[in-house]
């Protein structure tokens, strides 16, 4: 399952099928939908070498940037970058 919405749709379809007695028909429809998705993802063309190289380069640059940020140490007693203060709820007019 990809999302909560998809899961809830499946649960609702299963519940409706159980109530109406059409569970085998719903199961066949779900199997067809799943096989259609699998066929679409399997048939996706391979990325060209230039695109793969660019993605690898960007992943490396992102990893390097994260490594640099994580390695940076703040001096003891330095001020906080921000302080979280929750907002008061807005007053509703009646």
């Amino acid at each position: 399952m990809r999302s909560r919405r998809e899961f809830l749709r499946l649960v609702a379809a299963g519940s409706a099928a159980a109530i109406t007695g059409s569970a085998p028909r719903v199961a066949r429809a779900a199997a067809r939908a799943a096989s259609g998705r699998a066929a679409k993802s399997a048939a996706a063309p391979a990325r060209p070498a230039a695109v793969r190289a660019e993605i690898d380069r960007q992943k490396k640059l992102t990893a390097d940037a994260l490594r640099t940020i994580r390695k940076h140490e703040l001096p003891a007693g330095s001020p906080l970058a921000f302080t979280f203060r929750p907002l008061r709820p807005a007053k509703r007019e009646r």
Side-chain angles (χ1 to χ4, degrees):
M1 305 272 155
R2 280 189 244 151
S3 68
R4 182 179 297 156
R5 182 174 289 166
E6 187 175 331
F7 173 74
L8 291 175
R9 187 179 306 135
L10 179 65
V11 169
S15 300
I19 292 170
T20 62
S22 61
R25 187 176 45 192
V26 171
R28 283 192 303 272
R32 277 194 308 270
S35 66
R37 275 196 306 266
K40 286 180 186 176
S41 64
R47 292 187 177 121
V51 173
R52 282 194 311 263
E54 179 64 21
I55 290 173
D56 291 340
R57 186 182 74 81
Q58 289 183 13
K59 283 182 180 181
K60 181 187 176 306
L61 290 173
T62 303
D64 291 344
L66 286 173
R67 200 173 303 116
T68 301
I69 291 170
R70 290 177 180 148
K71 190 170 60 174
H72 180 73
E73 291 185 26
L74 294 174
S78 62
L80 294 174
F82 68 93
T83 303
F84 175 76
R85 290 192 186 106
L87 299 174
R88 292 180 185 247
K91 292 184 181 179
R92 294 186 342 183
E93 295 183 30
R94 295 181 185 209

